[in-house]
Amino acid sequence: MKNLPQKVRSRKLSSRVDLTAMVSVSFLLIIFFMVATELRKPKIMDLSLPDYDCDDCHSGCIDATRIYTILLDDNNKIVAYSGLLDYPLETPKKLVYGKNGIHKELLNKQKAILEYSTALGKPKSGAIVIIKPSKKSNFKNLVDILDEMAITKIDTYAIVNDFSQEESKLLASN
């Protein structure tokens, strides 16, 4: 009898999967989603407005001479006044955007208010600007005013969206 050839058996290779790349990708995805989640959180800022009914201004109330309000309306219209509208320090002004308009006015106000505060013994107390965009104003105008705050180095400002009836009448008349 003839020798039958033996059946050749294939050698089994160990099946091993390299997961190094998968671990790297998963860590990158985890980091990406952690950063994206952190960036999606709303950033809010506490807003402290002056107490308008204050009798004793030494108890923490803000001096009305430091307040400067800017009203934004449609067609690039700006109306600004110093102090409170019920008791304005000067008549409200109609201003335009640009270096000879709102930019110049903000620089002059900041300088005058800093001089006034320094005379009272509070050298770091600058202008407090309240920006009130109307429903008719556009987003570009608000961004332009915020740019002016950064350029003129006014640190204390707030965006407020509630208009009084007097302010609405003031915008309509200008």
Side-chain angles (χ1 to χ4, degrees):
M1 199 167 183
K2 240 174 163 190
N3 281 344
L4 292 171
Q6 279 191 338
K7 194 174 184 184
V8 178
R9 294 195 170 211
S10 63
R11 213 171 30 133
K12 290 192 177 181
L13 299 174
S14 65
S15 60
R16 193 174 147 227
V17 179
D18 187 15
L19 295 176
T20 307
M22 184 65 87
V23 170
S24 298
V25 168
S26 62
F27 277 120
L28 286 174
L29 285 173
I30 290 170
I31 292 171
F32 170 77
F33 285 115
M34 287 174 58
V35 170
T37 303
E38 186 63 30
L39 292 177
R40 281 185 71 199
K41 289 182 183 176
K43 306 286 188 239
I44 59 173
M45 175 178 67
D46 289 333
L47 176 63
S48 299
L49 291 177
D51 184 10
Y52 295 121
D53 299 327
C54 181
D55 294 329
D56 180 23
C57 283
H58 299 293
S59 65
C61 296
I62 297 174
D63 189 3
T65 56
R66 292 179 54 206
I67 298 173
Y68 190 66
T69 304
I70 300 173
L71 307 175
L72 304 177
D73 203 13
D74 62 343
N75 298 327
N76 299 331
K77 191 183 339 180
I78 303 173
V79 177
Y81 60 90
S82 292
L84 304 174
L85 189 58
D86 298 334
Y87 311 104
L89 299 176
E90 58 188 37
T91 58
K93 296 179 184 177
K94 184 177 179 184
L95 299 168
V96 295
Y97 290 94
K99 69 178 185 176
N100 291 327
I102 189 69
H103 180 77
K104 186 176 181 181
E105 183 71 18
L106 286 172
L107 285 175
N108 291 339
K109 283 294 170 195
Q110 178 75 332
K111 182 179 176 187
I113 291 170
L114 281 173
E115 288 173 0
Y116 169 78
S117 297
T118 305
L120 291 178
K122 299 176 183 177
K124 298 279 183 181
S125 301
I128 300 170
V129 178
I130 300 174
I131 303 167
K132 293 188 175 187
S134 71
K135 292 181 181 178
K136 298 177 186 175
S137 68
N138 59 28
F139 188 71
K140 179 189 178 302
N141 292 346
L142 181 62
V143 171
D144 289 343
I145 288 296
L146 293 176
D147 286 343
E148 289 296 337
M149 294 297 121
I151 293 168
T152 57
K153 295 181 177 64
I154 295 177
D155 296 330
T156 309
Y157 59 90
I159 302 170
V160 181
N161 64 356
D162 60 333
F163 268 76
S164 66
Q165 289 180 346
E166 293 82 17
E167 289 171 333
S168 298
K169 290 176 186 175
L170 181 63
L171 279 179
S173 67
N174 284 326

